[in-house]
Amino acid sequence: MASTSLTSCALCQAKASQLCAACRNVVYCSREHQKEHWKKGHRAECKCFEIATNEVLGRHLTATRDIKIGEQILKESPLVLGPKVASAPLCLGCHRNLLAPENPRGNYHKCSSCSWPLCGKECEDSVHHKAECQLMSGSNFQSKINYVPGEEERKESAYCVIMLLRCMQLKAKDPEAFLRLDTLEDHLKERLETPLYQVLRANLITFIKTVLGMKDWLEMDILRIAAILDTNTFEVRQPRERRKIRALYPGAAMISHDCVPNMRHRFDDDMNIVFLAKRRIAKGEILSISYTQPLRSTIQRRVHLRQAKCFDCSCARCQDPEELGSFAGAQTCLKCKAGKIISLNPLLNSAPWKCQLCSYKRSAKEVVTSDAELQQELESLDKTTPVALEEFIYRHRADLHETNTHILQAKYALTQLYGSAPGFAMEELSEESLNRKVQLCEELLTLADIFDGGWSIFRGNLLIDMEEALVTQALRSKEPVECEEKLRNAAEMLREIRNIMKHEPEMQQLLLERQVILNSALERFEPLEN
């Protein structure tokens, strides 16, 4: 148990007071002894969480001490990584998206042994590609993925075999690593009934056992590995490196989902997954991230989780018919025009919906159908300018209240478009549009505090948009007092943004530019504390 009353150095037993800042379970007499103890084994046990088990969550992680906001909780390297089930052409060595060949009539570089597309000859010897290459070339299989000049980038289903093979080859290459993979949840029984797994059984199993000659593998064992991957992998996005793949992290796979999570995650340059505390986490609290989008309603989130992860969420937000006071899933009552229609039991998909204020009811089927139609309408809109989204909000002003999920999604898209869309650049915005951007940011920040508060990326992005809009308003203002107030607010926001984004390298240049612009604005007026 963590304790600041520990007095003996963990290495030499001398009197000590320097507490290990990460786990707070040991103390040292010097920095040198802390480094030495780390090398001798403390590295493996130094953590601020432990594995727990219960009937609802199964294995999960809980905090063993109080954790500060912004603190790094876990960093883990991938056990295995590779293409998604359907992927745009990518290199199997470095996993970068393959750009069109410089020669318009050319093709991707092909591996000299198996013909899978690669960046170049240097990637043929990649540790990621070598084993699968030997297997396929030894079976006389040659990839037929080619670049077609003038054709739009398309996803190739052939990539579905790659990550599966990499996991299967672990069994002989690294039995201990395979054991870590084999202990993960699979939900195979539920997945076998889906169209995807029917296709896998028909095509993938035949390819692996017949074409590649892996006859010793049982069909269900192969499908179980596929199910483990679908249940536990994380999507890794590194835009600067042109990577969009998936990776398996056994430790991270034990982290629970919650629709109002206390952690966020990111990936470093080596594709390690890093978890950070979005807010203060108390000792004993379950560590959680979210696999869904915060502005989605309970219906949408639970359907997505059931389809993608094969579980039904019963977190505090999902249990609450009012969604923590946001009413994100509710629609305006068409009978009394004043109340909101909410589910009588959000955890029961077939439960009826009823107005809070009158007797009007709707069946679950009606609500789900209506919700799907509205989502489809929203997703079909032109999102290159704010016009269609504003029309959507106005068109549904009678049936959808201001914090309904569809309205919230439209509003968030608008915060991105006002200031960046053609004809709506920040310097071109009318006063009305600029004020609208600020209003939308304020409304969504209020909701962010409920759904995705603290140091979340969602909240950080909203603050960036808000700060830019406030500085623009200040520079246009002819009232010194109003200008000073807006710049002061912008300076406070930028300080908070720096805290939220300090672990996001790709954001640092933007924040530097925002600081330069703010400093320039401040120089025009009375100096403010910055």
Side-chain angles (χ1 to χ4, degrees), residues 388-401:
L389 289 164
E390 291 286 16
E391 289 176 348
F392 175 86
I393 293 173
Y394 183 78
R395 183 163 60 249
H396 290 286
R397 65 193 182 283
D399 55 314
L400 301 180
H401 60 90

Side-chain angles (χ1 to χ4, degrees), residues 460-516:
N461 286 334
L462 285 171
L463 286 170
I464 289 171
D465 281 321
M466 181 80 166
E467 186 272 342
E468 183 180 17
L470 287 179
V471 172
T472 302
Q473 284 184 326
L475 292 175
R476 292 184 186 182
S477 176
K478 297 179 180 179
E479 298 293 332
V481 174
E482 179 187 27
C483 176
E484 181 174 340
E485 181 183 1
K486 290 185 181 297
L487 291 178
R488 189 181 299 278
N489 289 338
E492 291 175 359
M493 285 183 184
L494 197 53
R495 280 193 289 270
E496 184 174 6
I497 294 166
R498 282 199 296 266
N499 281 329
I500 294 173
M501 299 295 186
K502 64 184 176 182
H503 297 288
E504 310 297 328
E506 66 277 7
M507 298 299 295
Q508 300 315 305
Q509 181 59 39
L510 173 63
L511 297 186
L512 181 61
E513 292 170 2
R514 294 306 315 156
Q515 187 66 62
V516 169

